Amino acid sequence: MRWALVAVPMVAAMPHADLRAWLLIGVTLALSIPLLWIHDARVRPLTTALPLAVIATTGALWVLLPSSWASVAMSSTTFFVVLRQSTVPIVLAVGLDFAAITAGAARYDVWKGALSTYAVLAVIVLMGLNRRARLARIEQTELALARAQTANEEHARAAALAERARIARELHDVLAHSLAGLALNLQGARLMLVRDGASPDAVAQIERAQTLASEGLAEARKAVAALREDAVGVERAIADLLAAYRLDSGARADLQVEGEPRELGPAVGTALVRAVQEALANTRKHAGQADVAVTLNYAAGSVELTVADRQGRRPPDAPAAGYGLRGMGERVALLDGRLESGPGEDGWRIHLTVPA
């Protein structure tokens, strides 16, 4: 739709075009094609220059062919510049519009008509600013809702953990202690029966009861450990870290899992989660609101983790590894793994491989 607002007026102007107009139409169409893919991008040199160039060429075409629809293309492009760009491009876009309207009025001596055109330009700018403010409010509302949902989930998780801890205490204080006392009493009873020369069947029954009590005690201890540790999978832990980063920075943070996921050892899982945590902390510190991509690859006999931020430029080499990267390297080395970190073409990249 946005591209059509530029292309259709250009096509409509073709029947009345001379050589200069044809040149402007061709340049405008060529410049407008990339806007199909970059109109939603934030302010960058390309996304700023192309709309301004389209405004300039359509304004010039409108001056040459005042009866054409070139003003529609100029106005619609101005609207989307006001909607998406920062203050400087907006001022430049309005200045180009003002210059085109003034040049047309001076060339054809239609200053009275120019006043209404200036008013239309002002209305377009105000509409763009109003739409921009509305989108910003919607974005803030969605962000607030996401944060509220996260807070509710954390509250529910904290309540669940508190309940699990209470159940674990009850199991430990009542059931585990009772089973431990029962096992000790049965052991004493068995020794007394052996001392008094009781029948082998009676001793065997006591031994079986002692075995059941011991097994029940072991299972109770396992249940207490499971309730208190509340183990979380590596993928879930990394996804939670990325969700927190998205809410904090507003940037994208994606996790891609490759290969067949499998259960990892506690040391390996901790190393992977801590590596993502340290990488995100460094991104917050050195790259602001850069997008982050995390890849977790379950290879044969090993697991690979790649964390890359997209800063849009090659970052400078770090003078020395910080304590976080050193600790990460030491943790990976203890697992006989490998760690690589350094600047890439458009950001910082960390890659580690650990046997698993």
Side-chain angles (χ1 to χ4, degrees):
M1 179 62 184
R2 299 177 184 181
W3 182 74
L5 290 175
V6 177
V8 171
M10 295 301 100
V11 174
M14 288 179 181
H16 308 286
D18 56 11
L19 180 60
R20 292 178 300 175
W22 272 105
L23 179 62
L24 289 173
I25 291 171
V27 172
T28 301
L29 291 175
L31 291 174
S32 65
I33 290 175
L35 297 180
L36 287 169
W37 295 276
I38 66 173
H39 63 270
D40 282 329
R42 297 301 179 184
V43 178
R44 294 171 185 168
L46 185 63
T47 60
T48 301
L50 285 179
L52 294 177
V54 170
I55 293 173
T57 55
T58 53
L61 180 62
W62 186 41
V63 172
L64 291 177
L65 301 174
S67 60
S68 67
W69 288 6
S71 59
V72 175
M74 182 180 70
S75 301
S76 63
T77 306
T78 302
F79 176 82
F80 291 114
V81 168
V82 174
L83 186 63
R84 295 290 180 183
Q85 302 290 357
S86 61
T87 303
V88 173
I90 292 174
V91 172
L92 291 176
V94 174
L96 290 172
D97 292 332
F98 190 86
I101 296 171
T102 304
R107 180 176 183 179
Y108 300 104
D109 195 20
V110 286
W111 292 103
K112 291 183 179 180
L115 294 177
S116 61
T117 309
Y118 290 137
V120 170
L121 174 61
V123 170
I124 291 173
V125 173
L126 291 175
M127 289 175 57
L129 292 176
N130 181 67
R131 176 67 175 173
R132 182 185 185 127
R134 182 172 179 273
L135 292 176
R137 288 195 299 271
I138 293 175
E139 184 177 354
Q140 291 296 324
T141 302
E142 292 177 349
L143 183 59
L145 290 175
R147 287 176 175 170
Q149 182 178 359
T150 302
N152 291 335
E153 291 175 354
E154 290 298 326
H155 180 73
R157 181 178 175 82
L161 290 176
E163 181 64 15
R164 288 168 71 110
R166 186 190 67 80
I167 296 174
R169 287 195 301 269
E170 294 295 328
L171 285 174
H172 181 269
D173 295 341
V174 179
L175 181 60
H177 282 175
S178 299
L179 289 174
L182 178 60
L184 290 174
N185 287 333
L186 288 171
Q187 183 179 9
R190 183 182 64 82
L191 293 175
M192 290 174 63
L193 290 174
V194 172
R195 182 195 63 186
D196 296 339
S199 66
D201 290 339
V203 174
Q205 289 289 344
I206 294 297
E207 287 178 346
R208 280 195 292 272
Q210 183 184 0
T211 300
L212 290 174
S214 299
E215 291 177 353
L217 178 61
E219 293 299 326
R221 286 174 174 169
K222 288 181 181 179
V224 171
L227 286 170
R228 288 198 175 277
E229 290 175 359
D230 190 36
V232 177
V234 173
E235 295 91 344
R236 171 65 185 276
I238 294 176
D240 289 345
L241 290 174
L242 295 179
Y245 178 83
R246 285 194 295 269
L247 291 175
D248 182 42
S249 65
R252 290 188 58 180
D254 301 322
L255 171 62
Q256 181 178 359
V257 179
E258 299 176 353
E260 186 65 26
R262 58 181 180 271
E263 186 175 357
L264 302 174
V268 174
T270 300
L272 296 174
V273 174
R274 292 291 181 267
V276 175
Q277 192 174 23
E278 178 62 27
L280 293 178
N282 289 338
T283 300
R284 285 188 180 94
K285 181 178 179 181
H286 301 290
Q289 298 178 340
D291 295 344
V292 175
V294 177
T295 303
L296 184 63
N297 180 22
Y298 290 91
S302 66
V303 61
E304 300 178 5
L305 176 72
T306 304
V307 184
D309 58 40
R310 302 189 180 98
Q311 305 177 23
R313 57 180 177 81
R314 181 180 178 86
D317 294 329
Y323 292 111
L325 286 176
R326 291 180 187 176
M328 190 190 307
E330 292 169 357
R331 185 180 290 112
V332 172
L334 290 174
L335 299 173
D336 295 327
R338 301 189 309 276
L339 172 66
E340 301 172 358
S341 64
E345 291 299 324
D346 63 342
W348 197 268
R349 180 178 180 274
I350 292 175
H351 179 80
L352 62 89
T353 304
V354 291

